[in-house]
Amino acid sequence: QSALTQPASVSGSPGQSITISCTGTSSDVGGYNHVSWYQQHPGKAPKIMVSEVSNRPSGVSSRFSGSKSGNTASLTISGLQAEDEADYYCSSYTSSSTYVFGTGTKVTVL
Amino acid sequence: QVQLQESGPGLVKSSQTLSLTCTVSGGPLSSRGYYWSWIRHHPGKGPEWIGYISYTGNTYYFPSLESRVSVSADTSKNQFSLQLTSVTAADTAVYYCASLRGYSFDSWGQGTLVTVSS
């Protein structure tokens, strides 16, 4: 199975909102509401930011929100802050009972 | 939330077996609903899920790796392990252990770089 497609980079100024897309197929993103998003700062462990398309785990800022339409899921970061600069990955459960990740997006705060 | 830490050799010779261990703290491996997973990340690519061992001891692997992968658990030490046989340069990556709950990886280790040398 192929990795989910994400833009390589997204940037925004402090306070702005940005959206990262994650495109798959009907066998993964489009077929299940089991899409998650992870944030990874350099040298650090990935951290879950959103589960089940739009659920925020305890402790995750409300500035992070997720959604899905068809085969594309999205992560929106509102009120962008310097600390949000990191790599972001999506993942999805698949029809083969496996998990597939996205290609990753580098978020830059200008 | 559990904490995980990978350990093992950072350098493995081509054709040999890669072996890594993940030590779990903050909860037993038998905690209901937990699937103890291995994930690897090649530079410049997205992470790749390798497989898991469940809280009941069942295993499931990514099909393209299934012939070379084994995940096992030692509940007395609260550790689970990865073995990947017949490695090549393509297996060079940062390897993570993580806990899978529901359909999300909710805790991750720091990751360990494994380089396959010829």
Side-chain angles (χ1 to χ4, degrees), chain A residues 7-8 12 26 28 35 40 42-43 49 53 60 65 70-71 83 85 90 92-93 101-102 109:
Chain A
S26 58
D28 38 63
V35 177
Q40 186 174 29
M49 305 303 283
V53 175
V60 173
S65 61
N71 295 337
E83 67 204 49
E85 187 162 293
C90 59
S92 175
Y93 180 73
F101 285 86
V109 181

Side-chain angles (χ1 to χ4, degrees), chain A residues 24-68:
Chain A
T25 68
S26 58
S27 296
D28 38 63
V29 174
Y32 307 91
N33 286 326
H34 301 321
V35 177
S36 302
W37 289 90
Y38 304 89
Q39 176 193 65
Q40 186 174 29
H41 288 105
K44 300 293 188 180
K47 174 187 175 184
I48 185 167
M49 305 303 283
V50 169
S51 65
E52 298 300 292
V53 175
S54 60
N55 293 343
R56 260 190 324 274
S58 175
V60 173
S61 171
S62 59
R63 299 185 298 104
F64 291 84
S65 61
S67 62
K68 192 186 86 166

